Amino acid sequence: MVRCISVADWGKLRTSLAACLAVKSFEVIDVDVDSRKVDAINSREAPVYEPCLAEPLTTHGERLRPTTDLEAMISSSDATFVDVPKPSKPDGSFSLCFVLQTSEGIGSTYG
């Protein structure tokens, strides 16, 4: 049974996903390289603007465990969602640099 879910990055979509999972009684560990976002979640404040996000962060914030430590996130969770930014390249394609960086971090945690 999945009890703890991790989500990589406290962006607009990931923060909403984490809040929804917390509302459904999941423990959610989320990693972000931006310590300001981690501090905001620890203060039960939305690190990004999204309508209706403040209420679940306030009422279910105890289920959210933000961190900057990818290894701690992976080793403490049963399942992980990776949805990191995919910036556009000049030719219109998407860069997978953040996807690869996060995936390599996850892979190195498992050896």
Side-chain angles (χ1 to χ4, degrees):
M1 171 182 255
V2 175
R3 296 182 202 311
C4 185
I5 297 173
S6 56
V7 183
D9 187 54
W10 282 110
K12 194 171 189 174
L13 295 174
R14 278 76 63 196
T15 303
S16 297
L17 172 62
C20 289
L21 291 168
V23 168
K24 292 296 184 180
S25 299
F26 288 99
E27 295 293 320
V28 183
I29 303 170
D30 200 336
V31 70
D32 200 298
V33 296
D34 186 345
S35 61
R36 292 173 298 171
K37 290 180 182 178
V38 170
D39 292 342
I41 295 295
N42 278 324
S43 298
R44 299 206 177 143
E45 298 172 5
V48 295
Y49 174 74
E50 182 66 27
C52 305
L53 183 57
E55 191 268 329
L57 291 179
T58 301
T59 58
H60 300 285
E62 75 279 357
R63 293 191 187 113
L64 300 173
R65 295 184 291 170
T67 183
T68 57
D69 185 347
L70 180 65
E71 186 175 329
M73 178 190 84
I74 299 303
S75 63
S76 299
S77 63
D78 300 309
T80 300
F81 289 92
V82 175
D83 184 15
V84 294
K86 293 158 284 303
S88 297
K89 293 181 178 180
D91 67 1
S93 65
F94 292 101
S95 170
L96 298 178
C97 62
F98 298 121
V99 174
L100 295 173
Q101 181 182 13
T102 303
S103 298
E104 288 169 0
I106 291 169
S108 68
T109 299
Y110 289 109

